[in-house]
């Protein structure tokens, strides 16, 4: 085995190593609105679920100056929509990661269609198989010197699920067709699926 001390690596190398070690990662495509009403859309793959009561998701936004629009908008308005990304959205999702100036509506500029949300101001993306309207719960700063990230914890207020994915009341992974992020510029689909039953619970008493 190769043994590596992250403190001995330069920051870029340490970042790339960490990205490449955690594979695959789901991708949150996050829509927000600035206080002035400009829509922003950006992908985040440091993303997962945290709790189901209250229904909570988290993703982390790397710090920089000026801060990323997603972080600035969430702090200003406390509202966001988190979308799951399927294979058909991959190229447009990556296009959203370009550095657009804050006044550009990235959702429309990258070829997606905006639909009004039910309970939050940022619109949702019509093309996404799942959209979750959320309110900011907490920001956790994970920082050292001028580096680090803001971990966003968000409470889900509404789910929107495409009908083809809602198979008898359960999310069906085949029509969902989610993608994951690998290291570097690589992504994966989840098309080679296998199912494993959990071990039975031991009998009580
Ligand atoms: C697939 C993918 C995943 C990404 N994941 C993250 C992430 O977890 N955290 C982060 O800060 N940036 C991440 N980025 C980069 C942001 O999307 C990028 O900085 C974007 O410009 C931020 O947009 P904003 O300034 O509009 O918020 C990712 C980019 C891609 C393509």
């Amino acid at each position: 085995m190769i043994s590596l001390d992250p403190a001995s690596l330069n920051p870029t190398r340490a970042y790339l190593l960490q990205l490449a070690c955690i594979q695959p990662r789901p991708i949150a495509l996050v829509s927000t609105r600035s206080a002035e009403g400009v829509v922003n859309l950006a992908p985040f793959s440091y993303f997962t679920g945290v709790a189901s009561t209250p229904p909570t998701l988290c993703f982390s936004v790397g710090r920089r100056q000026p801060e990323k629009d997603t972080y600035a908008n969430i702090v200003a308005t406390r509202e966001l929509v988190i979308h799951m990304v399927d294979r058909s959205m991959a190229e447009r999702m990556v296009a959203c990661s370009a550095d657009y100036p804050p006044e550009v509506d990235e959702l429309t500029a990258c070829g997606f269609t905006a639909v009004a949300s039910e309970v939050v101001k940022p619109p949702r993306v019509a093309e996404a198989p799942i959209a979750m309207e959320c309110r900011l719960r907490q920001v956790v700063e994970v920082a050292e010197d001028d580096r680090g990230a803001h971990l966003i914890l968000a409470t889900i207020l509404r789910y929107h699920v495409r009908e083809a994915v809602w198979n008898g009341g359960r999310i069906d992974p085949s029509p969902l067709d989610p993608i994951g992020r690998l290291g570097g510029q690589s992504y994966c689909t989840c098309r080679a699926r296998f199912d494993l039953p959990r071990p039975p619970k031991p009998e009580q008493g």
Side-chain angles (χ1 to χ4, degrees):
M1 298 292 274
I2 313 280
S3 167
L4 294 160
D5 175 358
S8 70
L9 305 174
N10 78 48
T12 306
R13 185 85 182 87
Y15 160 77
L16 292 173
L17 173 68
Q18 192 179 350
L19 280 190
C21 283
I22 310 167
Q23 308 193 24
R25 293 189 306 283
I27 300 167
L29 187 60
V30 180
S31 68
T32 53
R33 250 172 59 132
S34 68
E36 294 73 36
V38 181
V39 174
N40 191 86
L41 190 67
F44 296 88
S45 63
Y46 275 180
F47 163 55
T48 195
V50 175
S52 44
T53 314
T56 311
L57 304 174
C58 75
F59 65 97
S60 97
V61 185
R63 286 171 70 204
R64 69 171 187 209
Q65 283 308 323
E67 296 287 4
K68 296 190 182 190
D69 295 332
T70 301
Y71 174 72
N73 292 350
I74 289 172
V75 169
T77 67
R78 303 187 72 84
E79 294 186 339
L80 60 155
V81 184
I82 298 181
H83 306 83
M84 302 310 297
V85 178
D86 71 14
R87 178 65 191 88
S88 75
M89 298 165 67
E91 287 76 11
R92 286 173 287 177
M93 173 279 293
V94 172
C96 288
S97 72
D99 251 331
Y100 288 92
E103 63 276 13
V104 173
D105 173 343
E106 293 169 354
L107 193 154
T108 315
C110 294
F112 289 117
T113 315
V115 181
S117 292
E118 280 181 24
V119 289
V120 298
K121 289 206 180 75
R124 64 183 172 90
V125 171
E127 289 79 3
I130 296 179
M132 293 165 279
E133 297 185 33
C134 297
R135 178 171 301 129
L136 174 64
R137 179 184 176 89
Q138 193 180 345
V139 177
V140 179
E141 192 174 76
V142 183
E144 218 164 66
D145 305 325
D146 58 344
R147 297 182 173 276
H150 291 111
L151 182 69
I152 309 287
L153 295 169
T155 308
I156 304 171
L157 307 175
R158 280 288 184 288
Y159 289 95
H160 301 273
V161 182
R162 187 186 292 153
E163 277 174 13
V165 168
W166 191 243
N167 185 353
R170 286 172 189 268
I171 304 291
D172 185 340
S174 297
L176 182 63
D177 199 21
I179 59 164
R181 190 178 186 195
L182 305 176
Q185 303 186 345
S186 297
Y187 297 86
C188 63
T189 62
C190 300
R191 292 176 186 174
R193 171 180 141 203
F194 58 95
D195 296 338
L196 292 175
R198 295 265 301 267
K201 286 195 178 142
E203 301 229 345
Q204 297 291 318

